Amino acid sequence: KNIPMMSSLFRNPTLKFTLIAIPFLALLIGFSTDRILMHVKRRDLRLILVALFISLFLTTSFPLITGEIIRGETSLLPSSYVTFPEYWYDASEWLNAQYGDFKVLLMPINDFYQMPYTWGYYGADVFLSRLVSKSMLSAPFGYKVNPEISLLTSQFHQAVENNRTVEFQILLELTGVRYILLRNDIKYDFYKRKIMNPHVVRNFLEEQPNIKLAKKFGNLFIYEFNGVKPIMYVPNKVIPFHSFSINCIQT
């Protein structure tokens, strides 16, 4: 707490570095207890002190005994202890098994980096990168974000919100999206959040001529976009890279 610039270099340094210091504190507790008992001659008093030290240690480590190291439910947020629904694993396995190099568009678009789910999870969508091996196109997860990615996901959101079919399909083509993962298990009416209703997204997707429902896994709907076209054609003949780049820019 007293090291200059520590809070600027690390987010919540007290929490992080206290965990690192725990093994050294454990050695210090044992060493201090041994030194104290060396000055106590009476055996019964030493046993009383040992029992006192053990009870104090167990009292201060109460969460370790009960398993509730992380706080449970609060007035607003759900419990920190959740179980992932099986349909998330099934949908991820299906997407990972699809052949080719493509992107998966995550809908509805996040309005904030932490998203509420009906099955109890509230947090960042970083778990998606551990489930889906394909490239995922979604709002950035975190505080520092790429403004271009934020603008792109915002355009997807606005295209659905304003029913701009042509714009939506052009965005899909430009970004190489083949599948759209619709999360119907989002709490879109969560406290003071602006999350698009998944039902609105579902109605929009089902009216598109080049988009069809490919698979359903519980509350997850996977739509396939059939209008993917190559954006850039590379000629067969070998040409210098710099001239090819200039031609592309001029075109």
Side-chain angles (χ1 to χ4, degrees):
K1 293 182 178 180
N2 300 310
I3 300 178
M5 300 297 293
M6 189 61 120
S7 297
S8 301
L9 294 173
F10 303 96
R11 180 169 176 252
N12 201 348
T14 304
L15 177 62
K16 294 180 175 64
F17 291 99
T18 299
L19 294 175
I20 299 176
I22 283 178
F24 303 98
L25 292 175
L27 294 174
L28 181 61
I29 291 173
F31 179 78
S32 302
T33 303
D34 180 69
R35 286 293 174 178
I36 292 173
L37 294 178
M38 286 179 60
H39 297 281
V40 179
K41 304 300 182 181
R42 293 178 52 182
R43 187 174 183 275
D44 55 347
L45 184 57
R46 293 179 64 180
L47 293 176
I48 293 174
L49 288 176
V50 169
L52 178 62
F53 291 147
I54 292 176
S55 61
L56 288 175
F57 181 77
L58 293 178
T59 302
T60 55
S61 61
F62 176 76
L64 295 177
I65 300 174
T66 62
E68 297 179 355
I69 300 176
I70 301 176
R71 186 173 53 176
E73 294 186 13
T74 61
S75 57
L76 177 62
L77 300 179
S79 173
S80 302
Y81 301 92
V82 296
T83 300
F84 276 70
E86 286 296 326
Y87 59 78
W88 266 102
Y89 296 105
D90 297 336
S92 302
E93 290 179 3
W94 188 86
L95 285 171
N96 295 337
Q98 303 309 304
Y99 177 77
D101 185 15
F102 56 85
K103 289 185 177 62
V104 180
L105 175 63
L106 187 65
M107 297 292 288
I109 299 296
N110 295 17
D111 67 325
F112 186 58
Y113 83 100
Q114 290 182 322
M115 289 291 283
Y117 288 82
T118 56
W119 39 274
Y121 178 76
Y122 181 82
D125 285 330
V126 292
F127 70 88
L128 290 170
S129 60
R130 300 183 180 274
L131 294 178
V132 182
S133 60
K134 300 294 183 180
S135 299
M136 185 78 66
L137 181 59
S138 62
F141 315 135
Y143 291 104
K144 295 182 179 180
V145 299
N146 187 327
E148 296 179 357
I149 299 298
S150 298
L151 178 60
L152 178 62
T153 54
S154 176
Q155 286 180 301
F156 273 110
H157 180 91
Q158 293 176 15
V160 175
E161 189 176 39
N162 299 300
N163 199 26
R164 298 200 288 259
T165 300
V166 176
E167 178 183 342
F168 187 80
Q169 295 203 18
I170 290 176
L171 289 172
L172 293 177
E173 290 183 6
L174 290 174
T175 53
V177 171
R178 182 185 299 174
Y179 294 103
I180 303 169
L181 179 60
L182 177 60
R183 302 171 290 177
N184 295 298
D185 54 357
I186 291 290
K187 277 189 175 182
Y188 65 92
D189 55 350
F190 192 73
Y191 179 73
K192 291 186 177 182
R193 296 289 293 274
K194 297 180 180 179
I195 307 173
M196 183 176 291
N197 189 334
H199 184 70
V200 174
V201 182
R202 186 163 64 250
N203 289 340
F204 175 83
L205 295 176
E206 291 177 353
E207 294 176 357
Q208 308 310 309
N210 295 323
I211 298 176
K212 67 176 183 179
L213 180 62
K215 278 287 184 179
K216 285 184 180 181
F217 296 97
N219 289 324
L220 298 180
F221 290 8
I222 301 177
Y223 291 86
E224 184 177 3
F225 175 54
N226 296 319
V228 178
K229 301 176 182 178
I231 302 304
M232 181 181 297
Y233 293 91
V234 180
N236 293 328
K237 63 179 181 178
V238 178
I239 58 176
F241 177 77
H242 64 276
S243 62
F244 174 70
S245 301
I246 293 174
N247 292 333
C248 290
I249 295 173
Q250 291 175 347
T251 304

